[in-house]
Amino acid sequence: MTRLIPTSRRSWGVIARAGAAVSAIMLVFSVVTTFTARALPAGTAATPGQTLTPTSGNSGTSFNITFSAVNACPGDSAAGGYRWNTYMVPASVDPATLTYNSNGPIAPVGVTFTFPLFSTANAPQVNKNTAPTTGIIFGAPVFSFAALSFVGGAPAGDYKVGIACTLLGVTERFWTTRITIATNPGGGPAGFDWAVAGSTPPTTLPPTTTTVPPTTLPPTTTTVPPTTLPPTTTT
């Protein structure tokens, strides 16, 4: 049997470098496989979902978003690169199709009204960190639609609002609530009322003006009785 033996250090060096390159490729493959395996298929809706409290108001009404179950992303921010974001889009848009950058959600081509949700301090809620290890969404503020006054409000119609877990800007898991907006010039800073689908929207009644007719009194008749004088006696 013939054995092939390298005859120089240079040959050994070539073999060593080739082996190192193969090992590096296998390591990268292993890391990528481990990292991507934690992500859910894009567009996985979280169930049970979220709740808006209160269920109606105007553009200046403060509201909270709470969850019916553990509100966690598939991974955390520190090790997995996950973030949580917020969105408000027309009801025709599937939240699964949204992508995100540092300014918030990006809708499919042709959708013009796409915004993050804002806190009552008018701060957009974008690219927020999850809790370490657990991936739980924390730090959600009290929300309001008042900031939409800066873009002229929102057209009347149906919308989806909610929170999404994202990985490298792609939606991995999301929670959503459908709301209906009705234009109302007196409806807070952005001039509209809103209500969660299926709830009773606030009723705005016009001011009631009551006109009291003048009171006409019948003429007053005073009867003066005749004065009877005693007879006069002349002496």
Side-chain angles (χ1 to χ4, degrees):
M1 181 177 65
T2 302
R3 290 188 300 171
L4 298 179
I5 301 174
T7 58
S8 68
R9 292 184 178 180
R10 181 178 180 183
S11 299
W12 282 113
V14 170
I15 293 173
R17 286 194 295 272
V22 171
S23 298
I25 291 171
M26 294 303 294
L27 177 61
V28 169
F29 179 78
S30 174
V31 170
V32 170
T33 302
T34 303
F35 183 76
T36 56
R38 300 180 64 186
L40 294 177
T44 301
T47 55
Q50 64 181 23
T51 301
L52 269 62
T53 307
T55 57
S56 64
N58 63 38
S59 62
T61 302
S62 300
F63 64 92
N64 291 286
I65 293 179
T66 55
F67 299 87
S68 304
V70 175
N71 52 318
C73 292
D76 68 0
S77 299
Y82 287 87
R83 299 287 189 274
W84 66 267
N85 282 277
T86 61
Y87 62 89
M88 178 179 184
V89 292
S92 59
V93 176
D94 182 355
T97 63
L98 297 175
T99 56
Y100 294 81
N101 61 21
S102 58
N103 295 318
I106 303 170
V109 175
V111 179
T112 55
F113 190 95
T114 307
F115 291 98
L117 295 178
F118 291 80
S119 69
T120 53
N122 294 337
Q125 300 303 294
V126 298
N127 279 336
K128 299 295 185 178
N129 288 332
T130 69
T133 307
T134 62
I136 289 176
I137 296 169
F138 73 100
V142 179
F143 296 94
S144 159
F145 295 116
L148 295 178
S149 61
F150 299 115
V151 295
D158 292 339
Y159 294 84
K160 290 174 183 173
V161 299
I163 291 176
C165 291
T166 62
L167 179 63
L168 301 178
V170 177
T171 300
E172 296 292 332
R173 179 179 294 175
F174 66 88
W175 292 258
T176 194
T177 300
R178 187 167 178 150
I179 66 171
T180 299
I181 283 180
T183 302
N184 175 14
F192 62 78
D193 295 329
W194 62 271
V196 172
S199 65
T200 303
T203 303
T204 303
L205 298 175
T208 303
T209 303
T210 304
T211 303
V212 179
T215 303
T216 304
L217 298 175
T220 302
T221 303
T222 303
T223 304
V224 178
T227 302
T228 305
L229 298 174
T232 302
T233 303
T234 301
T235 305

